[in-house]
Amino acid sequence: MGYKKKTIILAVIALLLALLYIFYDLSGNIDYILPRRIIKVVAIVITGGAIAFATVVFMTITNNRILTPSVLGLDSLYMLIQTFIIFIFGANSLVMMISEINYLISIGAMIIFSLFLYRFLFKGEKNNIYFLLLIGMILGTFFGSFTDFMQVLIDPNEFMVAQDQMFASINNVNTDLVYLSIIIIAAVKIYFFRFYKYLDVIALGKDEAINLGVPYDYVVKRLLIIVAILISVSTALIGPITFLGLLVVNLAYEFMKTYRHFYIILSSIFIGLIALLGGQFIVEKVFTFDTTISVIINFVGGVYFIYLLLKENKKW
Amino acid sequence: MVDLKNVFKSYNKKNVIEDVSLEITKGTITSFIGPNGAGKSTLISMISRLIAKDNGAITIDGQDIMHTKNNELAKKISILKQSNAINLKLTIRELVSFGRFPYSQGKLKKEDNEKIDEAIDYMELRDIQDKYLDELSGGQRQRAHIAMVIAQDTEYILLDEPLNNLDMRHSVQIMKTLRKLVNEMGKTILLVIHDINFASCYSDQIVALKDGKIVKQGRTCDVIDKCVLKDIYDMDIDIKEIDNRRICVYF
Ligand SMILES: Nc1ncnc2c1ncn2[C@@H]1O[C@H](COP(=O)(O)OP(=O)(O)OP(=O)(O)O)[C@@H](O)[C@H]1O
Ligand SMILES: [Mg+2]
């Protein structure tokens, strides 16, 4: 089967799932339900697309298949921000209630944090990617512990609100924020296009890329910023889904069996949509909203992660 | 012309390359020889801008390599590293195609495909061009990487131990190919090589490095000399003249 055919099949499955999700059991107040479902699908498309895309790029830059941008500690930073806001202002404060403000604060903090982290990466001439990951993980753990600490101190009711933020959910996604996210993500992707041609070459490794004329540091710096923005936007919109990227990108590589980013990016995005739409469908119809999408994705993704580790392990 | 002036490089405060100055004229083969850890790879990586120098100046045709546009430089100079670990699922042909990136920016044209075919034929890889790299023997993989460098079609070609893993026939064949590239197409080739007999038979100029410094540099007949080699390798090496070639006997 050709790459094109495989990609189209994935696209069709994603589309069918979207239609199924929108039109399944459509009854009652259609004027309310239909736009609601459509906006959820849109939210899924942009976040799923952003996460899958960002993970492909991140894995190419770091030259591995197991680390995802979540090692940068963005997820835990997001949780820290949420808990911190509740801790300082309370769950009923304006910042918590007006999701636009919360959204902008979160995105801003995550992007600033990433820029700060990246400074380490480009110090000296060595490729400090492992140092970056180390710092990211340590800070991530630190944020996590600090979050726990504040959660212990706050009022139990407010704790519930904080807990809610911990799981990605599109059950009550904010329409305005979806529009805002679309604009940001579209702008970032347009900016990305000038670097697109370099991805295949960067995957060969740093020296090869330089040999072939890629302005390596310049490009990688900008790609990492793009990754940070995409992850920040999707996390601020629906919350952290740690394992989604890992799951979909590896499945894409296994399914497509090519190194070409054109196909890998597209198929990762479609697989991401399939996972999220399918997951959300199960959340709503099987669990009747008793759980959230991130629980399901993280469960499946976590199992897959262990499988990957075991498989990689065999090579040695 | 490749021109190095007082180039320095240190790791952890230890000089790995110390005050190296060197001129390499166009259209020649220059071999770098010297014991392990002498700094050959470091030097050749600096010339190809893979690592930054600490001090000094490196220019190619009068242009400072650090201030030349990346893509322009990639059409002028290419390097094959001592070890190449690519962990992508690539076929030989796909790898060789990457050599065209500076020209095609990823979109192969007719001319690119011709160059790719040519490079593959040069390295006798046509039969196995669709095999994946991880299914190849060490020598086949080495030839695939050399083919990629040839496809890049640069004026200056830097090769760090290109004969690694190759059998005698392929070693000779590659050296002959390099000679041909120089004689017929006017390329300039710099290579690191451990087998001094290959260096002796195929190069115009030899640069001997030891502890980061140039011990001797000059025409092949000046460097392949008992005293000089003793100095470089701390080893008595007999030199025999066979068919006007200097062959070292060091066993
Ligand atoms: N990244 C590095 N960090 C620290 N030291 C290094 C680094 N790279 C090289 N060196 C040191 O620099 C010296 C020269 O290394 P280089 O690789 O240039 O030697 P070489 O002449 O190519 O040797 P060989 O024949 O074994 O390939 C060695 O002593 C090595 O230990
Ligand atoms: Mg070396």
Side-chain angles (χ1 to χ4, degrees):
Chain A
M1 210 178 349
Y3 303 135
K4 258 197 199 121
K5 210 164 160 197
K6 286 185 185 173
T7 315
I8 291 172
I9 290 176
L10 290 177
V12 169
I13 296 177
L15 184 68
L16 288 180
L17 272 176
L19 293 177
L20 173 73
Y21 179 77
I22 292 175
F23 293 108
Y24 179 80
D25 198 14
L26 191 61
S27 58
N29 190 351
I30 292 181
D31 285 346
Y32 173 74
I33 296 176
L34 197 59
R36 246 348 263 169
R37 286 191 183 176
I38 290 177
I39 201 74
K40 281 190 202 173
V41 168
V42 174
I44 284 178
V45 170
I46 56 176
T47 50
I51 292 173
F53 174 84
T55 309
V56 172
V57 173
F58 189 79
M59 286 181 171
T60 293
I61 294 172
T62 54
N63 243 310
N64 84 95
R65 294 274 169 76
I66 292 192
L67 298 171
T68 65
S70 67
V71 295
L72 296 175
L74 290 178
D75 290 0
S76 30
L77 177 62
Y78 175 74
M79 274 317 297
L80 178 69
I81 296 167
Q82 297 305 315
T83 311
F84 188 71
I85 292 173
I86 294 173
F87 184 75
I88 299 287
F89 302 106
N92 296 321
S93 67
L94 279 179
V95 196
M96 244 3 239
M97 299 305 279
I98 303 178
S99 35
E100 282 85 351
I101 299 180
N102 187 324
Y103 175 85
L104 290 177
I105 290 179
S106 305
I107 290 187
M110 285 189 275
I111 292 175
I112 290 170
F113 171 71
S114 318
L115 293 180
F116 162 77
L117 260 193
Y118 292 164
R119 292 189 59 121
F120 285 106
L121 182 58
F122 294 99
K123 261 200 198 153
E125 66 182 36
K126 273 229 187 105
N127 196 341
N128 275 327
I129 222 125
Y130 294 103
F131 190 54
L132 171 87
L133 299 180
L134 182 68
I135 301 273
M137 274 190 218
I138 291 173
L139 286 178
T141 312
F142 169 72
F143 292 155
S145 315
F146 200 50
T147 305
D148 287 345
F149 174 69
M150 283 191 291
Q151 287 184 344
V152 172
L153 293 185
I154 55 180
D155 174 281
N157 289 322
E158 306 206 317
F159 175 70
M160 291 301 289
V161 179
Q163 280 289 303
D164 263 359
Q165 299 284 339
M166 213 158 99
F167 298 103
S169 167
I170 37 174
N171 296 344
N172 39 24
V173 65
N174 178 316
T175 314
D176 290 338
L177 293 186
V178 171
Y179 293 140
L180 191 53
S181 304
I182 291 179
I183 294 173
I184 299 176
I185 289 178
V188 169
K189 289 207 173 162
I190 290 170
Y191 179 63
F192 160 79
F193 254 98
R194 71 188 70 189
F195 304 122
Y196 159 71
K197 63 180 180 193
Y198 293 130
L199 282 180
D200 286 346
V201 184
I202 288 175
L204 291 179
K206 182 177 181 178
D207 288 342
E208 242 5 301
I210 294 176
N211 174 37
L212 293 172
V214 176
Y216 188 83
D217 283 355
Y218 179 88
V219 172
V220 166
K221 242 182 240 185
R222 275 143 194 88
L223 286 177
L224 280 172
I225 291 170
I226 289 173
V227 168
I229 295 176
L230 291 179
I231 295 293
S232 304
V233 169
S234 59
T235 306
L237 186 64
I238 66 167
I241 315 186
T242 314
F243 282 114
L244 180 70
L246 177 89
L247 182 68
V248 302
V249 177
N250 277 291
L251 284 178
Y253 272 107
E254 252 178 50
F255 181 62
M256 299 301 288
K257 295 204 169 33
T258 178
Y259 66 94
R260 274 180 238 177
H261 281 84
F262 179 75
Y263 295 111
I264 293 299
I265 289 177
L266 283 182
S267 56
S268 298
I269 291 177
F270 292 137
I271 293 175
L273 299 191
I274 294 171
L276 283 179
L277 286 166
Q280 183 64 16
F281 191 75
I282 294 173
V283 167
E284 296 189 8
K285 300 301 180 294
V286 179
F287 291 99
T288 56
F289 293 102
D290 271 348
T291 185
T292 63
I293 181 106
S294 73
V295 173
I296 293 182
I297 296 283
N298 279 345
F299 176 70
V300 177
V303 171
Y304 187 66
F305 182 65
I306 292 170
Y307 161 77
L308 276 182
L309 285 179
L310 292 178
K311 199 179 83 173
E312 288 287 312
N313 207 15
K314 262 197 222 136
K315 279 194 196 155
W316 294 318
Chain B
M1 198 168 83
V2 180
D3 194 9
L4 281 78
K5 282 210 178 73
N6 310 101
V7 174
F8 281 84
K9 175 81 194 175
S10 62
Y11 286 115
N12 313 319
K13 301 211 174 80
K14 185 180 162 291
N15 274 341
V16 172
I17 291 293
E18 208 174 322
D19 200 14
V20 167
S21 297
L22 190 62
E23 260 184 35
I24 291 163
T25 41
K26 267 195 183 178
T28 56
I29 295 185
T30 305
S31 294
F32 291 79
I33 61 169
N36 291 137
K40 306 178 295 294
S41 297
T42 308
L43 190 64
I44 217 166
S45 297
M46 284 194 287
I47 298 175
S48 56
R49 76 190 173 313
L50 294 190
I51 58 179
K53 59 184 186 302
D54 291 345
N55 240 319
I58 301 177
T59 57
I60 292 180
D61 293 341
Q63 282 179 308
D64 187 327
I65 52 161
M66 283 304 173
H67 298 112
T68 311
K69 273 182 79 183
N70 293 282
N71 202 49
E72 290 311 308
L73 213 49
K75 292 178 191 169
K76 210 172 181 98
I77 183 168
S78 56
I79 181 166
L80 171 74
K81 295 217 318 162
Q82 187 168 359
S83 55
N84 298 284
I86 291 180
N87 53 1
L88 298 184
K89 195 91 181 141
L90 284 181
T91 64
I92 292 184
R93 195 179 174 85
E94 286 167 341
L95 178 75
V96 178
S97 307
F98 272 113
R100 297 305 297 169
F101 184 80
Y103 307 88
S104 68
Q105 301 293 304
K107 293 194 193 81
L108 296 178
K109 294 193 208 53
K110 192 163 150 274
E111 188 199 326
D112 297 312
N113 278 312
E114 281 166 15
K115 293 272 183 200
I116 295 164
D117 282 328
E118 215 176 283
I120 286 177
D121 286 337
Y122 257 152
M123 288 298 114
E124 293 188 348
L125 293 165
R126 175 140 314 261
D127 298 344
I128 50 171
Q129 61 171 332
D130 293 320
K131 268 200 160 187
Y132 284 101
L133 291 184
D134 54 6
E135 300 165 351
L136 301 179
S137 77
Q140 291 168 335
R141 204 171 306 136
Q142 181 73 357
R143 274 153 57 209
H145 278 101
I146 296 175
M148 172 180 159
V149 170
I150 291 179
Q152 202 176 333
D153 192 23
T154 52
E155 255 177 272
Y156 296 89
I157 301 175
L158 278 55
L159 304 162
D160 197 345
E161 300 190 23
L163 305 185
N164 258 352
N165 293 321
L166 295 184
D167 60 35
M168 280 173 315
R169 191 173 80 84
H170 282 111
S171 299
V172 169
Q173 186 201 347
I174 281 171
M175 294 310 291
K176 283 190 171 148
T177 306
L178 296 183
R179 193 75 255 177
K180 208 163 97 187
L181 289 174
V182 169
N183 292 352
E184 290 172 11
M185 296 161 89
K187 311 254 180 215
T188 310
I189 295 178
L190 284 65
L191 67 158
V192 175
I193 198 161
H194 274 298
D195 189 325
I196 44 180
N197 287 328
F198 271 108
S200 164
C201 293
Y202 288 98
S203 33
D204 303 306
Q205 192 191 188
I206 295 183
V207 178
L209 285 171
K210 190 179 178 182
D211 299 331
K213 288 184 227 112
I214 294 185
V215 195
K216 179 85 186 173
Q217 148 194 14
R219 284 177 305 151
T220 303
C221 52
D222 298 332
V223 181
I224 302 298
D225 173 89
K226 202 168 158 75
C227 295
V228 175
L229 290 180
K230 168 101 183 156
D231 213 20
I232 305 169
Y233 292 105
D234 293 322
M235 193 176 161
D236 286 310
I237 298 178
D238 255 344
I239 296 169
K240 303 263 188 255
E241 191 110 1
I242 302 176
D243 293 346
N244 271 337
R245 290 170 165 171
R246 292 185 176 211
I247 304 297
C248 308
V249 184
Y250 48 84
F251 304 100

